[in-house]
Amino acid sequence: MTPPRVLTVAGSDSGGGAGIQADLKTMLALGTHGMSVIAAVTAQNSVGVQGYWELPPEAVRAQLDSVLGDIGVQAVKTGMLASPVLVETVAEVLAGLDAPVVVDPVGVSKHGDSLLAPEAVGTVKSRLLPTATVVTPNLWEVEQLTGVKVEGEDDLRRAADAVLALGPRWALIKGGHLPGEPVDLLTDGTTEYRFRAERLDNRHTHGTGCTLASAIASYLALGENVPDAVEKAKVYVTGAIANGFPLGAGIGPVDHAWRWRTNAKPATDG
């Protein structure tokens, strides 16, 4: 049987921890067929992003037309789109698509490197977010998109409402950088869900945002509704963070194959 098909439109991470590479690993781990539209190429490793190069918009559009025109999709995830023209190109296609769209509004890398041109922020707000079934900003991205600064859990709903005003159906505000117990808030403006998880003592968290958005898209493609897709994605990502491993001299990646590795461990006597 053909598995559900999920398309990622994002940047390539040469270090393999985030971006297109993280997306495809997540999609495979969750039982879907991952496909890709590469919008940018990064020179990136465990210590940072040394450079990135956007693909021409006609190359991005050709990839989209190629996949959507022949194979089709059950869900789409967007990540790093870098520039206004790439955001516009992708948004134009997604606006006419009859499939759920998960937008990860990537603005900055785990190492603090900018991955979105300042002049593209307005285009993300006006063109991309209205196409989203779910948008998954972290606290820095919330402030970048809305001006709302989240300093505690009480601010999460105000942030979500500000994001929803930009047009997505659901907003998932990721509160992992707040002090205390990590909590994410999901709402469509009417119904509200809060997802809590223990704070894990592991610095190797590269690719967390990409992985979460791709996991949500995968579960949507598998037929889950938005709250259930987010809940299951959170479980998967929490396990991936718990099993993140060192790589290179800096921040290592989460382990996308943690369930496989856990199940493959030999039983011990006693």
Side-chain angles (χ1 to χ4, degrees), residues 13-229:
D13 174 2
S14 55
I20 291 282
Q21 287 79 358
D23 298 340
L24 294 176
K25 292 172 187 177
T26 300
M27 292 165 189
L28 177 62
L30 297 181
T32 66
H33 174 68
M35 303 170 292
S36 64
V37 169
I38 298 176
V41 175
T42 69
Q44 185 173 173
N45 55 26
S46 70
V47 297
V49 179
Q50 290 75 48
Y52 73 79
W53 298 264
E54 302 163 24
L55 266 69
E58 58 268 26
V60 173
R61 181 62 187 253
Q63 292 176 79
L64 283 162
D65 291 345
S66 181
V67 172
L68 297 174
D70 173 49
I71 301 172
V73 295
Q74 271 74 56
V76 177
K77 176 259 179 182
T78 71
M80 175 189 177
L81 297 180
S83 69
V85 66
L86 292 184
V87 175
E88 289 176 359
T89 299
V90 172
E92 180 181 353
V93 174
L94 296 184
L97 191 66
D98 186 23
V101 174
V102 179
V103 171
D104 182 12
V106 175
V108 67
S109 76
K110 180 70 68 179
H111 308 91
D113 301 296
S114 177
L115 297 176
L116 181 70
E119 61 270 22
V121 174
T123 314
V124 169
K125 293 165 61 173
S126 64
R127 298 293 303 276
L128 186 62
L129 293 192
T131 73
T133 307
V134 189
V135 62
T136 63
N138 61 29
L139 302 185
W140 186 89
E141 290 157 351
V142 166
E143 187 172 1
Q144 182 185 46
L145 293 169
T146 69
V148 174
K149 187 175 181 62
V150 178
E151 297 180 328
E153 184 177 342
D154 291 343
D155 297 325
L156 290 175
R157 181 56 190 263
R158 182 166 61 93
D161 288 341
V163 171
L164 288 173
L166 299 173
R169 286 173 50 197
W170 291 82
L172 176 66
I173 310 301
K174 299 180 294 189
H177 291 117
L178 290 174
E181 183 184 51
V183 57
D184 299 344
L185 183 144
L186 172 71
T187 182
D188 62 355
T190 302
T191 309
E192 181 181 301
Y193 303 84
R194 294 184 186 240
F195 302 95
R196 301 181 186 276
E198 63 177 314
R199 188 170 296 282
L200 300 169
D201 185 20
N202 188 354
R203 66 188 292 261
H204 301 301
T205 56
H206 184 49
T208 304
C210 304
T211 300
L212 177 63
S214 293
I216 295 170
S218 295
Y219 281 119
L220 290 173
L222 288 163
E224 301 289 352
N225 61 34
V226 170
D228 288 345

